[in-house]
Amino acid sequence: MKKRVLLLFLTAAFAGILLSGCKKNVGTPEDNAVVETDEEENDPEEEQESGLLFGYSSADMSNPFYETLKESIKTSLEEHGDRILVRDAENSVDTQIAQISEMIEAGVDAVFLCPADAEAVMPALEELQEADIPVVNLDTKVADPGYVDAFICSDNQNAGYICGSDLVEQRPDGGRIVIVEKPSSPSINDRITGFEEAVYNKGFEVAARIDAGMGDENLRSELKQLFSEDDHIDAVMCGNDQMAVQVLDILKEAAYEDILVYSVDGSPQIKTALADLSSPMQAVGAQSPINIGKKAVETAMAILDGGAYEEEVSVETFLINRENVEMYGTDGWQ
């Protein structure tokens, strides 16, 4: 009898050791932190099913604006217990159309769309409409707003206007300016329009226009040639911060002095340049991808709940310059 009891005891102990060796994620959540990977974020169907599933279709995630916008949307959705399926079109509308089809197949409840091409993306919008999936259009308005439920963007025209107004204050006698733009982008066109309205009849002459849509190498080549041939440029207005970074690099190489650079976005990189007294960066018409993301989620929830919402929203833009850049910080977006 004693031998049998001893055998049972040893068997139970041995089983306990095996079980303890296999057990995972014991203790507090802090003790068992799960590091979120891009795969988990991009494939929520592999996660435990809970809440609603939203698609975020980005035009170009290499642009820090779209990355920050995604993070803002993701954070707001998670506060509601919902999930996000992220896809990056990498500036290819064909890729974006295919990715939106994948979202529909995945059963998304709504889509946040930053179009790679405002017109060419229409087949995807038609497919979403047929599937009865709401669309919140962000940043750049699609060609036919009738296919989206809401449009949320920055007040781009004001962002350009406040840059132009600052230039008028800095150069009250006018001067020669260079405009770096992207005619294929409606949002950038609005910014340049606002800038030109502010400097109109103030003594300014447009010395050159450079299309940044032709690629970075072409932009740098044109800028180098311009600054090597023309030493009477007073200011450069850039349609976004990515363009401004290229301008600042070329100006540094050319040792061009007494020139003012303006932009629209408000990225950490450009705010860092503003904080550098040796930089020609003068001011930026700042937008807030964080606030746009919050408003986007708020709007999407209202659409799905059948509540009231604004069909078109322009989120405030404001000037950040050397005097107030410390207030906004240089380590993140506003």
Side-chain angles (χ1 to χ4, degrees), residues 51-70:
L52 300 173
L53 175 60
F54 292 81
Y56 174 67
S57 178
S58 173
D60 178 20
M61 291 289 282
S62 69
N63 184 331
F65 172 87
Y66 292 121
E67 174 65 27
T68 305
L69 177 58
K70 181 264 292 183

Side-chain angles (χ1 to χ4, degrees), residues 9 40 88 226 273:
F9 175 78
E40 288 175 332
D88 179 11
L226 175 67

Side-chain angles (χ1 to χ4, degrees), residues 23-308:
K23 191 172 182 181
K24 302 293 183 182
N25 289 345
V26 295
T28 66
E30 290 75 17
D31 294 332
N32 300 282
V34 177
V35 178
E36 183 177 20
T37 66
D38 289 340
E39 287 75 22
E40 288 175 332
E41 176 183 274
N42 289 345
D43 294 296
E45 62 270 16
E46 295 180 0
E47 301 174 0
Q48 182 179 356
E49 294 293 330
S50 64
L52 300 173
L53 175 60
F54 292 81
Y56 174 67
S57 178
S58 173
D60 178 20
M61 291 289 282
S62 69
N63 184 331
F65 172 87
Y66 292 121
E67 174 65 27
T68 305
L69 177 58
K70 181 264 292 183
E71 285 299 322
S72 177
I73 290 173
K74 180 174 179 286
T75 299
S76 295
L77 288 176
E78 289 177 344
E79 289 174 357
H80 291 87
D82 298 320
R83 297 165 293 139
I84 186 171
L85 176 63
V86 179
R87 291 293 180 264
D88 179 11
E90 297 181 341
N91 276 322
S92 167
V93 70
D94 291 334
T95 299
Q96 187 164 53
I97 291 171
Q99 290 173 343
I100 289 174
S101 293
E102 292 174 8
M103 290 180 177
I104 294 172
E105 291 178 8
V108 294
D109 294 283
V111 169
F112 300 104
L113 171 66
C114 303
D117 186 298
E119 293 186 9
V121 77
M122 291 309 300
L125 291 174
E126 291 171 359
E127 191 177 355
L128 285 164
Q129 189 176 77
E130 289 175 6
D132 197 26
I133 297 174
V135 178
V136 179
N137 180 194
L138 303 175
D139 188 47
T140 298
K141 184 183 287 188
V142 299
D144 188 346
Y147 281 85
V148 302
D149 296 82
F151 174 57
I152 302 171
C153 67
S154 300
D155 189 342
N156 286 301
Q157 192 157 337
N158 179 68
Y161 188 88
I162 56 181
C163 287
S165 297
D166 186 83
L167 175 58
V168 171
E169 290 183 17
Q170 302 299 324
R171 296 286 190 271
D173 296 328
R176 303 178 74 246
I177 56 179
V178 173
I179 293 178
V180 183
E181 56 191 348
K182 187 179 179 182
S184 62
S185 169
S187 58
I188 289 179
N189 288 341
D190 287 343
R191 299 168 186 179
I192 299 303
T193 296
F195 174 81
E196 291 184 297
E197 286 179 354
V199 302
Y200 180 70
N201 271 347
K202 299 296 193 301
F204 290 94
E205 171 194 357
V206 177
R209 290 180 179 272
I210 300 177
D211 182 1
M214 302 299 291
D216 288 349
E217 287 304 316
N218 182 75
L219 173 58
R220 293 181 66 87
S221 176
E222 289 199 40
L223 286 169
K224 284 182 178 180
Q225 182 175 350
L226 175 67
F227 292 133
S228 66
E229 296 175 352
D230 193 335
D231 59 355
H232 291 89
I233 303 298
D234 294 279
V236 180
M237 173 61 190
C238 304
N240 65 23
D241 282 1
Q242 289 179 302
M243 300 175 190
V245 168
Q246 301 283 357
V247 171
L248 292 174
D249 285 347
I250 298 302
L251 286 175
K252 186 176 181 179
E253 293 174 10
Y256 207 113
E257 297 180 357
D258 198 28
I259 191 170
L260 305 178
V261 178
Y262 292 87
S263 178
V264 172
D265 265 339
S267 65
Q269 190 169 7
I270 289 301
K271 288 188 291 183
T272 298
L274 280 173
D276 179 2
L277 297 181
S278 66
S279 171
M281 196 70 210
Q282 172 63 26
V284 60
Q287 54 180 341
S288 174
I290 295 174
N291 289 335
I292 292 174
K294 291 178 180 178
K295 187 65 178 179
V297 171
E298 175 188 319
T299 300
M301 294 301 179
I303 293 170
L304 292 172
D305 292 341

